[in-house]
Amino acid sequence: MPDLQTLGPVALYVAVFVLVFAESGILLGFFLPGDTVLLAVGALTADPDRGLSLSLLVVLVLVAAVTGDSVAYWTGARAGAPLLERDRGRVLNRRTLRRAREIYQRFGAFAVVGARWVPWLRVLVPVMAGVAAMPYQRFLAANVAGAVLWGAGLLVVGNLLAHRLL
């Protein structure tokens, strides 16, 4: 697999989009190195010879992150709640579902924004927000805020660090 520096601009844009979407929207995405990649790609945008657009990367990352989290939310809403309503043991049961709904009613927006910074939570929290029936408009607002702070923030920090080091 090629490293980031060997990819051309179009391939890099596609790779970053797919990585961020997968890390946000697919339950197995927790092992992907999203934070590191965003910092590194942000740093690559500081080199004018690379032909990368920081603004285009920010837009791509925001779309990928928000879309990925929305897919995870709807996955939880469609599949998770029915699974928990069937009382399948000590953890997967109606009581867990009720507690999840109470927690997301009180702290859901903070959880969605804050989860962006912890890889395994970044995958789990949107699914649980769907399971807990967090209102989608509230979820979407927190989802966008988290994507801006995390995705755009890491790209910009990487760019600024590279400018300081060049």
Side-chain angles (χ1 to χ4, degrees), residues 67-134:
T67 305
D69 262 16
S70 292
V71 166
Y73 174 91
W74 290 112
T75 300
R78 300 278 190 257
L83 178 69
L84 294 178
E85 287 171 349
R86 291 187 200 139
D87 280 336
R88 296 184 180 259
R90 299 176 104 179
V91 176
L92 300 176
N93 55 46
R94 286 185 187 104
R95 182 172 176 257
T96 301
L97 179 59
R98 186 179 65 251
R99 285 200 24 85
R101 286 184 173 150
E102 290 168 2
I103 289 168
Y104 274 87
Q105 290 301 321
R106 288 185 76 189
F107 306 110
F110 295 112
V112 172
V113 173
R116 286 280 181 195
W117 299 96
V118 182
W120 61 274
L121 283 179
R122 189 167 36 246
V123 174
L124 182 62
V125 165
V127 174
M128 287 306 297
V131 168
M134 180 179 179

